[in-house]
Amino acid sequence: MTHYLDELNPVQRAAVTTTEGPVLVIAGPGSGKTRVLTYRIAHLIEKGVPPWQILALTFTNKAAREMKERIERVIGPQAQQVWAGTFHSIFARILRAEAQKIGYPSSFSVYDTDDTTSLLRTIIKEMNLDPQVYNASAIRSRISLAKSNLVTPKAYRDNADMMQQDRQAKRPYIADIYEKYSARCHRAGAMDFDDLLLQLYRLLRDHDEVAHKYQQRFRYIHVDEFQDTNFLQYAILRRLVKYPDSPENVFIVGDDAQSIYAFRGATIDNILDFEKDYPALQTFKLEQNYRSTHHIVSAANEVISFNRRQLNKTIWTQREDRHKIKLLKCMTDDEEGRRVADLILEQKHRHHLPNSDIAILYRTNAQSRKFEEHLRRLNLPYRVFGGLSFYQRKEVKDLVAYLRLAVNPNDEEALRRVINYPTRGISTATVDKISQYAGAHNMSAWDSMLFVDVPDRARKALAAFRGMVENWQRRAAGDPASKLAADILRQSGLLDALKSDTTPEGIGRLENANAVLDAISEFVDNQEAVPGNDGAERSLAAYLQTITLLTDADQAADDSDFITLMSAHSAKGLEFRSVFVTGLEENLFPSFMSFEDPNGLDEERRLFYVAITRAKELLTITFAKTRYRYGQVRDCEPSRFLEEINSEHFELLGGFGSARQSAAPVGNPRASISGNFAQPRPRPQQGAAATTIPADFTPSPPEAIVAGVTVLHLKFGEGRVTGVEGPAGNKVATIQFKNDEMPERRIVLRFAKLKVL
């Protein structure tokens, strides 16, 4: 037997050597899925399958490149003849050869996101539509979602539900924009990223000879991270695999518990329902985790067992347990940032960790600010992934530029950045004239605005802009900095511009802008708490000086060794010796948006599962009792996910703001805030509901749940409803349960299972 097969455990080996027919490999985190995938391809080639008849689809170019390198180490240079690449790169390669059959030149252009957004802005402008209402980024996402679900411009217009959604959003012309956009792309001989999928599907659907050609070429098809595929990707896969007399040699690798990209169009149903389309499917479960220790693996199993639909598996590990999961509770988000930084320094000394072995994960990019500030305080080098450093993000720089103008209108760089953003009718040509006049007459750009010769429309726009900034200047000396900053965000038009983009990315940008307001409020509060600080120390100018010094800090000399800061979404596929999963609070992690969708909470739980399984040895989970959000200090409740982990896996670190206390077991983290430690909760059975449902239990309709009634909950038992609030369809009940450690709970009625007694 070839030596590389000896490196595999029995289940891995069985998956690799099962070469015929449909195969599903359910690969838990750290279970060696990449090795199985690459060895399977090497094994096929060694058995005599021509490498050019093997297709391997991935989600990143890096994964495809590493796959080929690994195969080459096993069987030699033949690996380079395997068709391995991302969905988009492989499909573009096919389209180059076949594009003329669907009316495109073989040299078609590929539009990236910026190209697409720019073209949509042009179309929106030509249609005389309000760019604030028809935000180009939001329209781009809407069109992308349509294409991912095989909805063409004509099908979009014929879809009553989509058209009704657009009318309700006061954007009834999206169908027209989509139609014009598609026509312009075709006229330009261009495809965007989504077209690479949509047009290939069209090619395979409408041209049988082309479909047959590639069905015969790709005799063995492999798909990595199958749980991340969308409807259109799966439709293309079926076109290539399912045809008369097909051997259905499709090998998919994935983990439903790591499906976290629904907001991008990925559907978990592809992996959950795969067996329905392939009855002859052979399934292999890679359940041994080679990455993490027992406490981490067990906690992950316990959390994911609460999800409703899943492919049952129990991950296990033989790695030695030396550390429990550390649970850090803090009074404020600032304390969270400080104590995480301090713990990192402690871990570096105690465990001799390089910076590159440490990661801080969070639910939203806006959370990075606190950690950045405190890591800088300790001179710990870091790098922000999945987004720019907080103060380098465009929306943050835009708002800060307005704040700088309010303090110093002669700041020309700030002026150039925002003078026409959001759009107010001041063209680039006008700005260039202002700069030229200022240079010729040795005056600031701000002053030259009064004298430069521009058309009347531009002059009126300049006057309105100056009047707005001058009003802020007058207020800067006396008004509270936080109040002035909030008014600048609103009056400048930035707030409306950010609100108009309702995509996940757009919501993140709005959160980042609000995080600046939080930072200013906190800065002022902190300065007021220091005896002797006068008004100047609490001013907007003082805050701007503080962050300028912060953002101008020198970079570490050794740029290769840094602490990683990233969102939990960005961490998928990575691993670190020490991981900090932060902000485990209700409405943050899980996100408040998850309560709008019955499947949203399951996806948030999968995201938490992904986050904690990035850790190899040291895992620290943090939450705060209060957090600055939207300019105010808000009380926070620990995440429900913490309740789903048995207390035996936790070690509690310290109290609120106190020195670190000796480790003690913790029960329910929500109860631990008030010092009441619960007994370890019985572990739910894998794949079963958390509570056994009584045979006669029938949930009452939400409208029957009113203040004063007694209800039965499957998990919390009997309780009394003390109040119901919120709009119809999204009401929240406050309930006092008799035998629960919490004084009261707030439950969303449309998701709750409550029976009126």
Side-chain angles (χ1 to χ4, degrees):
M1 183 60 68
T2 314
H3 70 88
Y4 64 84
L5 294 179
D6 296 334
E7 300 176 19
L8 304 173
N9 67 36
V11 180
Q12 292 173 333
R13 184 167 179 160
V16 166
T17 56
T18 303
T19 58
E20 306 304 310
V23 176
L24 165 62
V25 177
I26 304 171
S31 61
K33 74 175 182 65
T34 304
R35 172 176 290 187
V36 168
L37 195 55
T38 55
Y39 282 13
R40 148 82 177 214
I41 294 171
H43 187 64
L44 287 171
I45 296 173
E46 188 184 61
K47 284 184 59 179
V49 176
W52 55 86
Q53 288 190 348
I54 300 173
L55 172 64
L57 296 169
T58 68
F59 277 87
T60 67
N61 289 309
K62 178 184 176 184
R65 184 172 59 253
E66 290 179 351
M67 186 185 301
K68 282 191 174 184
E69 290 171 353
R70 286 194 183 197
I71 299 169
E72 188 168 7
R73 286 197 292 270
V74 177
I75 53 94
Q78 294 181 79
Q80 296 305 315
Q81 295 177 298
V82 173
W83 282 59
T86 65
F87 282 87
H88 291 90
S89 65
I90 293 293
F91 294 171
R93 181 177 173 184
I94 296 172
L95 285 168
R96 294 280 182 208
E98 314 290 347
Q100 292 181 348
K101 293 182 175 63
I102 53 174
Y104 282 85
S106 59
S107 58
F108 63 84
S109 299
V110 177
Y111 280 175
D112 63 16
T113 300
D114 289 341
D115 297 324
T116 296
T117 305
S118 178
L119 177 54
L120 286 170
R121 284 197 188 103
T122 300
I123 292 170
I124 290 165
K125 183 177 180 181
E126 291 173 353
M127 294 175 66
N128 293 317
L129 298 173
D130 185 345
Q132 304 294 340
V133 176
Y134 289 88
N135 178 276
S137 295
I139 303 301
R140 185 193 71 230
S141 295
R142 182 73 168 166
I143 292 174
S144 175
L145 181 64
K147 290 182 178 181
S148 296
N149 286 282
L150 283 174
V151 178
T152 62
K154 182 180 184 305
Y156 191 107
R157 193 180 295 280
D158 293 340
N159 188 306
D161 288 341
M162 298 186 82
M163 296 296 288
Q164 178 63 20
Q165 290 170 10
D166 291 346
R167 285 192 291 270
Q168 290 177 345
K170 301 188 185 324
R171 296 187 297 193
Y173 297 108
I174 292 181
D176 298 318
I177 297 171
Y178 184 12
E179 191 172 59
K180 290 178 183 292
Y181 171 75
S182 296
R184 292 277 279 270
C185 286
H186 188 264
R187 192 169 69 198
M191 298 185 196
D192 62 24
F193 290 147
D194 296 302
D195 283 328
L196 295 175
L197 306 181
L198 183 63
Q199 297 301 338
L200 180 67
Y201 178 83
R202 176 187 164 202
L203 176 70
L204 297 175
R205 182 197 63 191
D206 298 344
H207 298 271
D208 290 340
E209 74 286 1
V210 176
H212 181 72
K213 173 182 175 180
Y214 289 98
Q215 288 162 355
Q216 297 307 306
R217 171 168 294 176
F218 302 134
R219 303 295 291 176
Y220 295 87
I221 297 178
H222 304 73
V223 184
D224 192 15
E225 303 286 5
F226 186 71
Q227 76 279 351
D228 294 335
T229 54
N230 62 28
F231 178 82
L232 180 53
Q233 287 164 330
Y234 187 45
I236 293 170
L237 182 67
R238 282 177 56 83
R239 287 276 169 183
L240 291 172
V241 174
K242 292 189 79 69
Y243 53 90
D245 300 321
S246 168
E248 296 187 348
N249 292 331
V250 57
F251 185 91
I252 68 168
V253 181
D255 181 7
D256 59 297
Q258 297 186 65
S259 178
I260 59 173
Y261 295 126
F263 66 91
R264 295 181 185 170
T267 171
I268 194 173
D269 292 338
N270 286 350
I271 190 168
L272 292 179
D273 298 333
F274 191 71
E275 190 172 5
K276 294 179 181 178
D277 291 330
Y278 297 89
L281 183 70
Q282 298 183 73
T283 300
F284 300 91
K285 297 180 181 181
L286 306 185
E287 296 176 302
Q288 183 174 359
N289 182 300
Y290 293 93
R291 174 191 300 156
S292 306
T293 58
H294 167 74
H295 285 301
I296 297 170
V297 169
S298 297
N301 280 335
E302 290 166 2
V303 166
I304 205 64
S305 71
F306 282 82
N307 271 10
R308 295 168 300 169
R309 291 186 66 206
Q310 57 183 297
L311 300 171
N312 292 335
K313 60 184 177 299
T314 301
I315 307 303
W316 58 277
T317 183
Q318 291 181 327
R319 290 205 60 198
E320 180 185 356
D321 245 336
R322 290 189 297 165
H323 310 283
K324 288 191 174 185
I325 300 168
K326 292 178 171 56
L327 184 62
L328 173 64
K329 58 176 182 176
C330 304
M331 179 63 79
T332 67
D333 53 340
D334 184 68
E335 183 190 345
E336 180 186 46
R338 174 178 59 80
R339 298 192 67 194
V340 165
D342 290 343
L343 280 171
I344 287 174
L345 196 59
E346 178 183 329
Q347 286 184 359
K348 284 171 59 64
H349 292 315
R350 177 175 295 183
H351 304 293
H352 308 291
L353 296 182
N355 295 315
S356 57
D357 274 350
I358 304 170
I360 301 173
L361 308 183
Y362 33 75
R363 180 61 182 83
T364 67
N365 285 324
Q367 292 169 253
S368 75
R369 176 176 62 87
K370 285 295 179 187
F371 302 110
E372 292 185 60
E373 291 172 355
H374 287 286
L375 291 173
R376 288 178 186 272
R377 173 179 60 85
L378 296 178
N379 293 318
L380 292 172
Y382 68 88
R383 184 171 295 175
V384 179
F385 286 82
L388 298 170
S389 175
F390 181 83
Y391 290 106
Q392 294 301 312
R393 293 168 184 153
K394 180 185 182 300
E395 60 276 10
V396 173
K397 290 176 73 71
D398 291 339
L399 177 53
V400 169
Y402 274 113
L403 302 180
R404 285 162 53 185
L405 278 182
V407 173
N408 176 21
N410 292 325
D411 186 333
E412 186 168 351
E413 289 302 311
L415 179 69
R416 290 185 65 89
R417 183 176 187 91
V418 299
I419 191 171
N420 196 44
Y421 183 76
T423 304
R424 53 175 57 90
I426 302 173
S427 66
T428 302
T430 296
V431 176
D432 290 341
K433 282 186 177 182
I434 292 171
S435 295
Q436 292 166 5
Y437 190 94
H441 294 82
N442 194 28
M443 65 172 61
S444 69
W446 176 257
D447 290 334
S448 69
M449 290 167 61
L450 295 170
F451 307 104
V452 69
D453 184 20
V454 293
D456 286 343
R457 181 179 176 184
R459 183 176 298 283
K460 291 179 181 177
L462 288 174
F465 177 76
R466 277 185 63 95
M468 179 174 64
V469 175
E470 286 171 346
N471 177 52
W472 299 335
Q473 288 176 250
R474 287 190 293 269
R475 296 176 54 192
D479 279 19
S482 54
K483 174 67 166 63
L484 176 58
D487 287 347
I488 289 174
L489 176 62
R490 178 175 53 83
Q491 294 169 5
S492 65
L494 273 179
L495 183 61
D496 288 339
L498 292 169
K499 280 184 173 179
S500 67
D501 185 355
T502 57
T503 64
E505 296 85 356
I507 292 170
R509 285 188 282 270
L510 178 59
E511 289 178 344
N512 290 336
N514 279 310
V516 175
L517 302 185
D518 295 344
I520 296 171
S521 296
E522 186 176 9
F523 173 80
V524 172
D525 291 346
N526 289 342
Q527 295 301 318
E528 288 177 345
V530 178
N533 273 0
D534 59 16
E537 295 294 327
R538 303 191 297 270
S539 67
L540 193 56
Y543 168 76
L544 291 171
Q545 178 178 311
T546 300
I547 65 167
T548 300
L549 293 173
L550 182 66
T551 55
D552 287 343
D554 293 333
Q555 295 297 315
D558 181 8
D559 197 41
S560 63
D561 186 32
F562 47 79
I563 296 161
T564 297
L565 276 69
M566 60 172 52
S567 70
H569 280 103
S570 300
K572 189 165 175 288
L574 303 178
E575 59 181 42
F576 304 89
R577 283 182 65 190
S578 175
V579 171
F580 292 79
V581 183
T582 62
L584 260 293
E585 298 139 28
E586 288 290 286
N587 297 317
L588 182 58
F589 203 167
S591 166
F592 70 93
M593 292 186 292
S594 67
F595 302 115
E596 299 175 1
D597 179 358
N599 298 314
L601 190 57
D602 279 7
E603 174 131 345
E604 288 289 302
R605 189 176 282 108
R606 292 194 294 268
L607 182 60
F608 181 53
Y609 176 90
V610 166
I612 63 179
T613 55
R614 300 311 92 196
K616 298 166 70 174
E617 300 172 18
L618 301 167
L619 174 60
T620 306
I621 300 176
T622 74
F623 62 94
K625 189 173 185 294
T626 63
R627 185 175 296 274
Y628 264 94
R629 300 196 75 179
Y630 309 107
Q632 295 181 348
V633 176
R634 309 217 176 225
D635 290 332
C636 304
E637 185 179 5
S639 170
R640 68 190 63 200
F641 298 155
L642 297 178
E643 291 185 330
E644 297 169 358
I645 300 175
N646 198 300
S647 61
E648 68 186 39
H649 304 302
F650 280 130
E651 174 184 315
L652 181 63
L653 295 186
F656 299 130
S658 64
R660 187 168 66 88
Q661 300 170 351
S662 59
V666 61
N668 187 324
R670 300 193 193 192
S672 73
I673 288 179
S674 59
N676 300 321
F677 299 105
Q679 295 299 315
R681 188 172 53 79
R683 184 180 305 178
Q685 295 297 312
Q686 178 69 19
T691 304
T692 302
I693 301 176
D696 62 345
F697 185 91
T698 303
S700 301
E703 55 270 21
I705 312 299
V706 296
V709 303
T710 300
V711 295
L712 178 65
H713 188 278
L714 293 176
K715 178 179 178 182
F716 305 124
E718 187 177 319
R720 182 174 178 274
V721 179
T722 59
V724 177
E725 58 185 317
N730 201 29
K731 290 185 178 295
V732 177
T734 301
I735 307 174
Q736 291 183 338
F737 290 100
K738 291 182 178 179
N739 300 315
D740 189 27
E741 70 278 358
M742 288 287 292
E744 63 181 24
R745 293 183 181 272
R746 290 168 56 79
I747 298 179
V748 180
L749 289 182
R750 63 191 176 110
F751 299 143
K753 290 184 177 180
L754 295 167
K755 180 179 181 180
V756 176
L757 299 179

